[in-house]
Amino acid sequence: SLGSLAGNACADGLDQIRIGTAHRALFDIAADGDRIYAVGAIGTVLSSSDGGATWVTEPSDSDLALLGVAASATNQLAVGQTGLILRRNGEGHWERVATDTDQRLMAVDVADDGVAVAVGSFGAMLRSADGGRSWTSVSNDWESMVDDGFEPHLYGVQALPGGVFCVVGEYGLVLRSEDHGQSWHKTHGGEASLFAVPI
């Protein structure tokens, strides 16, 4: 075993210096001008105020993995495991916001007017009209959108001008909302999963 091997090595006059590789994976990044945020494992939040030249760790209210982050001039949001949503307050601390889902949230985006949409596993979709302070679930008619009515994993969301949002996910799914994320219609379907909406 590893333990007995290490013990034998020490007994043979070798000093154990380090076992394993210390690291924290980062899963997403978002920017508003020169201000950049990156999120990852164990509730990690990093921020840069100089376009990525230097970074600092910001305190978060969780040790769960954060999988998505969004930033606008006035609102910064992060999402992750078990329905977790964090919102950055004025002091630079990320505070937990109540949600009514325990599904893993994969992505979030926020428009300049403060409307935000978060998406995740098994069709989870949440909407906020107040910059992420409060959230409500969005129901979709998956039977009309996906073969056999499966609730697809949703992987990416993007806010666009004019109250438009786009979401992508499993089965080549592309959803579009033209009313600030209140209602959605399918614009594409296929086989391969889609993971992001580039702009």
Side-chain angles (χ1 to χ4, degrees):
S1 73
L2 181 60
S4 61
L5 182 62
N8 290 338
C10 290
D12 292 338
L14 298 176
D15 293 329
Q16 178 179 301
I17 298 172
R18 185 175 181 180
I19 291 179
T21 302
H23 71 281
R24 289 192 179 185
L26 297 176
F27 298 120
D28 198 18
I29 190 167
D32 177 58
D34 284 340
R35 190 81 184 182
I36 307 173
Y37 302 91
V39 297
I42 322 175
T44 299
V45 180
L46 304 177
S47 69
S48 172
S49 59
D50 55 14
T54 60
W55 294 84
V56 297
T57 300
E58 295 194 354
S60 74
D61 191 29
S62 178
D63 59 1
L64 297 175
L66 297 171
L67 305 174
V69 63
S72 71
T74 54
N75 298 292
Q76 298 83 43
L77 305 168
V79 299
Q81 301 284 13
T82 65
L84 176 66
I85 297 182
L86 301 180
R87 184 176 188 277
R88 188 176 188 269
N89 65 20
E91 288 74 49
H93 187 87
W94 294 75
E95 299 176 330
R96 189 182 297 250
V97 180
T99 68
D100 60 359
T101 184
D102 60 1
Q103 295 295 340
R104 175 184 298 148
L105 297 175
M106 309 282 200
V108 63
D109 204 10
V110 60
D112 290 339
D113 63 3
V115 175
V117 173
V119 298
S121 299
F122 301 104
M125 182 182 290
L126 302 173
R127 178 183 181 273
S128 173
D130 57 10
R133 293 173 181 84
S134 62
W135 295 83
T136 56
S137 291
V138 177
S139 296
N140 286 300
D141 181 8
W142 295 120
E143 290 194 9
S144 69
M145 296 181 183
V146 180
D147 290 343
D148 299 321
F150 291 118
E151 296 175 332
H153 297 325
L154 303 175
Y155 296 120
V157 58
Q158 183 68 57
L160 301 169
V164 175
F165 280 84
C166 284
V167 165
V168 296
E170 284 188 296
Y171 314 116
L173 189 64
V174 179
L175 303 179
R176 179 178 170 92
S177 171
E178 296 170 358
D179 58 4
H180 304 271
Q182 297 181 83
S183 63
W184 296 82
H185 60 275
K186 176 181 173 180
T187 62
H188 186 269
E191 296 293 329
S193 292
L194 302 174
F195 292 96
V197 189
I199 59 170

